[in-house]
């Protein structure tokens, strides 16, 4: 066991690389799936919470919308108002562990982690997406209603795509937070990166070196994810160029407009 | 206070597309529309003029049920659209609307803007919808920009695309809510040109506008509104040259 810092780091890496690798894979799997499922939960909750109620609606609808909104805001308040590490303990020992007792330990940990992260992220996502929906100009809704689209059609075809685009940075942020915060799930023995690092560090009592490696891995993960998300955001902007079609009689003529230049393709322009 | 009792549907004129009967709209204590009654007949171009806050836009928005009327009734071919909520979507498809702020769908190209309603509301096939969309885009001179997103084109182009979107639904009447008010002066002409073309083609139109010479030129009737009521409604010649009411006279002289 070398005494120097870099010696220690390379020793631990060469001896325990597979622990770090498995921990990293599990961290990525649980935080990615937790973010995706959390997004879906948030989407549904935000949808339900933005259902408009008109004076002319039936009393039953008014009542159920009100009831639903109380339940959903309770969910949001509770899960945003308590730490995930505590939520993990309560949910896991409050029944989840027993419910998953048929599973192998590794899978039990992964499934528990995904469930807990999803529920927790869902609460945040619900508010993020609701904000995104509200931020879409009300003219978009009116324009769509005015051609006869139903509320549901407007939401799915017009409002949602714009709302999601607007909140992409916040959604990405949640993913990055989840990569880091999934580390607290070591308290219920999920074999993620932090949990594995502890095992690697504990064997030779080289905590500094082991967790230095862990920090580097976490940073590489979040940095990469941030870049990927930035790329996706740009894709979602839509193309920054379009093709000008010729008149119908000269349909082959087209001019391609980009932000920088104009290029003429095809023939037919006389 | 409701005017519901005054409605006499038997009295409805059969060739009126739209009949507005004792329409009321209140925002809290504020009576924005008071006892508005008017009809729109097939092929008519009715312009609504008046100062800001007179309730012109609110009237148009009530007709398309974007605002819930507080009282009175709106009849479409003699049938109340207020009591029959089931067919509101079909009704709106037949009553097109063009907005001051265009309200094109920002997440779709010009062509998609014109296609989505046909597919979702009218149940047309995508191919058929695109064919219709291209035809109307060509008519408003926007075929060339089919692939552009709303943020890539000018205000006048957006408004022409919005008119094409409304036309694609084959409406029986189109409501124009100050269609040129947010346009640069040099773009007003292209939009008015399209509207003039529609009017000549026999499209029934209800136009809220501040373009007085345009209103005078294309309208079959001009309605002057003042603080929530219809002060005077007559032919453009009467309204613009020899209005009968004092308020109308004051308004006309202030703008000419």
């Amino acid at each position: 066991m070398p005494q120097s810092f870099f010696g220690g780091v390379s020793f631990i890496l060469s001896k325990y690389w597979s622990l770090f690798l498995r921990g990293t894979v599990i961290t990525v799997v649980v935080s990615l799936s937790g973010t995706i499922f959390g997004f879906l939960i948030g989407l549904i909750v935000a949808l339900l919470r933005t259902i408009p109620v008109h004076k002319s609606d039936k009393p039953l609808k008014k009542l159920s919308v009100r009831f639903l909104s109380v339940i959903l805001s309770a969910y949001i308040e509770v899960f945003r108002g308590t730490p995930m590490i505590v939520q993990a303990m309560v949910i896991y020992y409050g029944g989840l562990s027993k419910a998953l007792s048929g599973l192998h330990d590794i899978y039990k940990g992964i499934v528990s982690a995904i469930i807990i992260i999803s529920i927790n992220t869902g609460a945040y996502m619900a508010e993020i997406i609701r904000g995104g929906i509200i931020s879409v100009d009300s003219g978009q809704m009116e324009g769509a209603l005015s051609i006869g689209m139903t509320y549901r059609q407007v939401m799915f075809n017009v409002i949602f795509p714009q709302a999601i685009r607007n909140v992409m940075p916040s959604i990405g942020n949640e993913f990055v937070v989840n990569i880091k915060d999934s580390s607290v799930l070591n308290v219920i023995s999920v074999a993620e990166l932090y949990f594995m690092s502890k095992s690697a560090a504990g064997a030779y009592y080289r905590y500094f070196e082991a967790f230095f490696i862990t920090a580097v891995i976490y940073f590489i993960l979040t940095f990469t994810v941030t870049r990927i998300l930035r790329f996706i955001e740009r894709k979602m902007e839509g193309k920054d160029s379009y093709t000008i079609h010729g008149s119908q009689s000269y349909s082959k003529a087209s001019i391609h407009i980009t932000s920088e230049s104009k290029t003429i393709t095809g023939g037919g322009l006389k | 206070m409701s005017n519901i009792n005054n409605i006499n549907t038997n009295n409805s004129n059969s060739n009126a597309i739209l009949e507005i009967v004792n329409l009321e709209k209140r925002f809290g204590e504020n009576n924005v529309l008071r006892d508005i009654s008017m009809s729109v007949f097939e092929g008519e171009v009715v312009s609504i003029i008046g100062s800001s806050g007179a309730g012109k836009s609110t009237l148009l928005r009530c007709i398309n049920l974007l605002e819930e009327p507080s009282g009175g009734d709106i009849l479409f071919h003699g049938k109340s659209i207020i009591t029959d909520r089931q067919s509101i979507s079909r009704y709106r498809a037949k009553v097109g609307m063009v907005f001051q702020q265009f309200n094109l769908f920002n997440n779709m190209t010009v062509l998609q803007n014109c296609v989505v309603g046909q597919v979702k509301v009218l149940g047309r096939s995508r191919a058929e919808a695109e064919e219709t969309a291209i035809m109307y885009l060509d008519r408003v001179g926007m075929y060339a920009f089919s692939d552009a997103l709303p943020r890539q084109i000018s205000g006048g182009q957006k408004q022409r695309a919005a008119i094409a979107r409304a036309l694609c639904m084959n409406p029986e009447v189109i409501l124009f809510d100050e269609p040129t008010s947010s346009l640069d002066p040099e773009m007003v002409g292209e939009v008015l040109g399209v509207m003039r073309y529609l009017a000549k083609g026999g499209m029934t139109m209800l136009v809220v506008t501040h373009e007085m010479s345009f209103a005078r030129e294309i309208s079959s009737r001009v309605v002057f509104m003042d603080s929530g009521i219809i002060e005077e409604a007559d032919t453009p010649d009467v309204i613009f040259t020899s209005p009968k009411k004092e308020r109308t006279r004051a308004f006309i002289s202030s703008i000419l």
Side-chain angles (χ1 to χ4, degrees):
Chain A
M1 180 75 202
Q3 287 311 303
S4 75
F5 170 70
F6 288 109
V9 167
S10 67
F11 176 78
I12 290 174
L13 260 185
S14 64
K15 195 152 167 68
Y16 294 115
W17 63 270
S18 74
L19 277 190
F20 284 109
L21 182 64
R22 274 186 287 158
T24 304
V25 169
I26 292 181
T27 288
V28 170
V29 166
V30 298
S31 56
L32 180 61
S33 344
T35 308
I36 291 171
F37 288 123
F39 172 73
L40 295 176
I41 293 173
L43 204 63
I44 294 166
V45 173
L47 254 184
L48 295 174
R49 267 163 66 86
T50 46
I51 293 177
V53 182
H54 297 296
K55 272 198 220 131
S56 55
D57 283 336
K58 293 192 185 79
L60 183 66
K61 186 189 167 188
K62 281 187 200 167
L63 198 71
S64 43
V65 168
R66 166 63 58 84
F67 178 70
L68 209 62
S69 117
V70 169
I71 303 269
L72 294 177
S73 51
Y75 158 66
I76 292 170
E77 292 302 329
V78 167
F79 279 87
R80 291 205 308 176
T82 54
M84 187 160 81
I85 191 168
V86 177
Q87 292 163 13
M89 297 298 270
V90 171
I91 294 175
Y92 190 72
Y93 293 108
L96 186 59
S97 168
K98 209 167 266 167
L100 298 174
S101 57
L103 289 178
H104 183 279
D105 270 355
I106 293 258
Y107 297 113
K108 188 170 158 184
I110 293 177
V111 173
S112 306
I114 292 175
I115 291 174
I116 290 161
I117 296 175
S118 303
I119 298 176
N120 178 277
T121 308
Y124 287 91
M125 290 282 197
E127 283 302 271
I128 291 172
I129 295 169
R130 193 171 69 94
I133 292 173
I134 294 172
S135 74
V136 175
D137 170 31
S138 61
Q140 297 286 306
M141 173 64 81
E142 292 186 349
L145 289 178
S146 80
I147 54 172
M149 289 169 79
T150 62
Y151 179 78
R152 192 173 307 182
Q153 289 172 335
V154 184
M155 284 310 268
F156 283 103
N157 293 287
V158 179
I159 308 293
F160 256 23
Q162 296 182 49
I164 299 303
R165 166 66 196 84
N166 290 347
V167 299
M168 260 317 270
S170 306
I171 292 173
N173 203 29
E174 281 299 306
F175 185 23
V176 170
V177 166
N178 281 340
I179 290 176
K180 296 185 294 172
D181 285 5
S182 57
S183 60
V184 303
L185 297 175
N186 78 84
V187 295
I188 54 166
S189 303
V190 180
E192 43 69 51
L193 182 55
Y194 180 89
F195 183 86
M196 294 303 214
S197 309
K198 258 198 331 191
S199 320
Y204 290 88
Y205 296 101
R206 299 295 289 259
Y207 284 92
F208 177 43
E209 288 84 352
F211 279 99
F212 179 80
I213 297 169
T214 313
V216 171
I217 297 175
Y218 271 120
F219 182 76
I220 293 172
L221 285 183
T222 55
F223 189 78
T224 316
V225 164
T226 315
R227 298 298 110 173
I228 294 172
L229 288 168
R230 195 71 54 78
F231 177 75
I232 294 175
E233 266 172 53
R234 268 205 303 274
K235 284 274 152 197
M236 284 177 81
E237 286 279 337
K239 49 200 172 52
D240 56 358
S241 64
Y242 59 94
T243 302
I244 291 195
H245 297 278
S247 72
Q248 280 188 295
S249 32
Y250 290 103
S251 56
K252 274 183 192 157
S254 67
I255 302 173
H256 191 67
I257 305 270
T258 64
S259 36
E260 296 90 30
S261 65
K262 293 185 182 188
T263 51
I264 296 180
T265 57
L269 276 183
K270 289 180 186 172
Chain B
M1 199 181 85
S2 161
N3 280 294
I4 282 285
N5 299 329
N6 298 343
I7 297 168
N8 187 351
T9 41
N10 299 329
N11 211 11
S12 69
N13 201 322
S14 58
N15 56 356
I17 295 183
L18 273 173
E19 282 166 272
I20 295 143
V21 190
N22 307 120
L23 191 73
E24 303 267 331
K25 177 64 189 176
R26 285 181 291 275
F27 291 108
E29 295 292 293
N30 198 0
N31 264 0
V32 181
L33 295 178
R34 292 179 292 166
D35 200 18
I36 300 277
S37 294
M38 65 181 281
S39 300
V40 180
F41 298 92
E42 198 180 329
E44 259 194 323
V45 177
V46 180
S47 293
I48 304 175
I49 60 171
S51 24
S52 298
K56 310 180 298 289
S57 289
T58 307
L59 173 58
L60 231 53
R61 293 167 57 80
C62 279
I63 293 176
N64 211 345
L65 295 180
L66 289 175
E67 300 288 353
E68 190 108 348
S70 315
D73 207 349
I74 297 167
L75 308 179
F76 183 65
H77 291 298
K79 282 197 196 110
S80 168
I81 54 151
I82 292 182
T83 46
D84 184 11
R85 279 310 166 105
Q86 296 308 309
S87 48
I88 180 169
S89 168
R90 248 175 302 151
Y91 164 73
R92 278 179 171 149
K94 287 180 185 156
V95 179
M97 181 132 178
V98 174
F99 299 84
Q100 184 178 348
Q101 297 297 338
F102 329 123
N103 295 349
L104 286 178
F105 309 135
N106 294 326
N107 58 322
M108 301 182 194
T109 64
V110 166
L111 183 68
Q112 289 165 338
N113 262 280
C114 295
V115 165
V116 64
Q118 299 184 61
V119 173
K120 301 285 172 190
V121 181
L122 304 180
R124 289 181 184 155
S125 72
R126 191 154 290 274
E128 190 188 353
E130 281 183 9
E131 204 173 307
T132 313
I134 287 171
M135 178 179 83
Y136 284 115
L137 283 170
D138 195 41
R139 278 198 206 165
V140 301
M142 283 297 293
Y143 169 68
F145 299 92
S146 302
D147 287 343
L149 290 167
R151 62 179 151 86
Q152 294 167 326
I153 56 181
S154 74
Q157 291 172 331
K158 280 184 211 175
Q159 196 60 298
R160 285 189 281 147
I163 293 173
R165 178 177 71 182
L167 288 171
C168 283
M169 306 301 289
N170 301 116
E172 293 184 31
V173 50
I174 303 186
L175 315 174
F176 292 85
D177 186 7
E178 302 195 24
T180 58
S181 294
S182 57
L183 296 177
D184 292 339
E186 70 263 38
M187 289 167 184
V188 170
E190 65 188 61
V191 171
L192 293 185
V194 169
M195 291 171 67
R196 198 173 281 129
Y197 164 82
L198 290 180
K200 287 210 179 92
M203 175 58 78
T204 312
M205 293 156 64
L206 193 51
V207 187
V208 169
T209 185
H210 291 293
E211 297 287 332
M212 294 304 158
S213 55
F214 177 73
R216 186 169 183 176
E217 171 202 334
I218 68 158
S219 307
S220 27
R221 259 190 309 146
V222 176
V223 172
F224 171 66
M225 281 182 74
D226 189 53
S227 42
I229 59 166
I230 292 181
E231 187 72 24
E232 189 169 352
D234 217 317
T235 61
D237 273 350
V238 172
I239 293 285
F240 286 104
T241 57
S242 50
K244 296 184 179 78
K245 296 281 184 65
E246 186 51 46
R247 298 294 270 283
T248 320
R249 213 169 298 147
F251 176 76
I252 296 296
S253 64
S254 73
I255 48 151
L256 289 184

